[in-house]
Amino acid sequence: MNRLTCILRLPAGGIFVVAGVLKVLDPARFAADIDHFRLLPYFAVAPLALYLPWLEIVCGLAVFVNAWRRSALVLLLALTVVFIAAITSAWTRGLDIRCGCFGAASTAPLAYDLVFDVVLGGVLFWLWRVEGRPGPPSPHNV
Amino acid sequence: MACDQTNPSCAAIGRTAVWLLALALVPAVLTGWLHPKRPEWSWTRPAVTELPLADAERLTLPVIWLDARPDEEYAAKHVPGALSLNEDRWDELVPKFMAVWRPGTRVVVYCNSQECDASRAVAARLRHEYRINYVFVLQGGWKAWLEAHKP
């Protein structure tokens, strides 16, 4: 169980770091991707395009820091739920758009991103449950 | 783990989460200030996105150039590889464009100069009627292209 948790941290945090870095490379493009979802007022698009990738990077890295892990998992889980809602909304409206989840590397149809995010959300939720459980008393427990 | 307000570890998680949210703000502000590809900000969405010629020619994704000028002007000379799509023969020309268009392809529409509206109209129709997202209007139009490609 413990080993699995350790192994799962790597993709759970790493995916967000990679996704964040890919988006930070071209924030203007990410802003266009967000705008194409037609979910937000235009004035909010550019600030979100600047902030969201860094939030992913910060929280993705924080998954590997013991004291910050649970907070990071909560935030990443919340983000993933928002992503799932946005993609579902775009999909049901029949929008012909890319997810933009991985910046320039996003070329897959929205349905793939949806499945990906649902699996990711499941992993994050599981990690959050396991990490949140109080362990046996030990001198390392803070 | 029960998470209510009386649980101190729950409050600690919340506090750290706020710190993480704030921490991400710092590089985000720097990115908006210094990044060469920072997004343009405005209150309202520009009707059609204009693309400067240099940016249009730098697009690495598949691009379709569309000439929105009248037939005779297109016949005389046009951007190499550009397809003709004007409102005069819309129904005839649009299938030819749709035959080569693929999702994700960038579309750059141009008409004569910065002042003409044909490219904006074509871009707006492609966006609204065909739900094509990545449509851009070439800033300065055909004149800008000619200027940049003087022999």
Side-chain angles (χ1 to χ4, degrees):
Chain A
M1 191 66 128
N2 238 342
R3 188 174 296 168
L4 181 64
T5 312
C6 265
I7 293 170
L8 279 180
R9 272 177 208 158
L10 190 66
I15 281 167
F16 282 96
V17 174
V18 171
V21 168
L22 285 171
K23 281 180 279 207
V24 163
L25 293 177
D26 194 345
R29 182 203 170 102
F30 183 48
D33 286 334
I34 295 176
D35 188 38
H36 290 148
F37 278 81
R38 291 290 191 266
L39 285 170
L40 290 173
Y42 191 74
F43 62 83
V45 167
L48 187 66
L50 294 169
Y51 182 63
L52 196 58
W54 283 110
L55 186 62
E56 289 181 312
I57 294 172
V58 166
C59 291
L61 291 174
V63 167
F64 302 101
V65 181
N66 282 332
W68 295 347
R69 183 169 306 123
R70 280 184 291 175
S71 308
L73 287 172
V74 170
L75 288 175
L76 291 178
L77 188 57
L79 277 183
T80 309
V81 170
V82 171
F83 295 161
I84 291 172
I87 296 172
T88 309
S89 147
W91 198 27
T92 51
R93 281 177 291 154
L95 294 186
D96 168 37
I97 59 174
R98 292 168 319 112
C99 164
C101 314
F102 289 95
S106 286
T107 47
L110 278 183
Y112 289 30
D113 291 299
L114 193 58
V115 172
F116 184 85
D117 274 2
V118 169
V119 172
L120 184 61
V123 170
L124 288 169
F125 183 71
W126 188 82
L127 275 178
W128 176 71
R129 288 289 301 272
V130 172
E131 307 278 5
R133 200 171 291 159
S138 89
H140 305 294
N141 271 5
V142 188
Chain B
M1 180 187 64
C3 201
D4 55 59
Q5 284 168 346
T6 56
N7 186 336
S9 78
C10 198
I13 291 175
R15 258 199 311 278
T16 311
V18 172
W19 272 112
L20 291 174
L21 287 166
L23 191 60
L25 212 52
V26 178
V29 169
L30 289 175
T31 307
W33 186 26
L34 298 170
H35 202 297
K37 291 183 180 174
R38 60 185 176 272
E40 294 283 324
W41 185 87
S42 75
W43 275 109
T44 52
R45 179 180 294 115
V48 178
T49 315
E50 285 196 359
L51 207 60
L53 180 64
D55 290 0
E57 293 190 312
R58 260 208 311 268
L59 288 172
T60 48
L61 293 143
V63 183
I64 299 176
W65 289 72
L66 283 181
D67 191 324
R69 300 174 304 155
D71 286 337
E72 56 278 14
E73 290 182 45
Y74 174 81
K77 201 177 177 199
H78 53 84
V79 172
L83 300 175
S84 174
L85 181 59
N86 54 56
E87 296 218 277
D88 306 338
R89 291 200 300 132
W90 181 267
D91 292 340
E92 235 173 293
L93 295 170
V94 99
K96 292 180 186 167
F97 161 67
M98 292 307 284
V100 290
W101 178 82
R102 296 285 173 273
T105 307
R106 269 48 177 168
V107 181
V108 180
V109 195
Y110 67 90
C111 51
N112 230 334
S113 64
Q114 184 57 29
E115 286 72 36
C116 63
D117 266 323
S119 56
R120 266 173 269 269
V122 166
R125 284 189 74 171
L126 289 178
R127 260 174 196 262
H128 298 128
E129 294 174 31
Y130 294 84
R131 294 194 167 190
I132 295 176
N133 275 302
Y134 300 103
V135 184
F136 307 97
V137 163
L138 180 66
Q139 223 169 60
W142 173 240
K143 275 187 186 164
W145 193 90
L146 272 185
E147 189 65 31
H149 293 87
K150 265 193 269 191

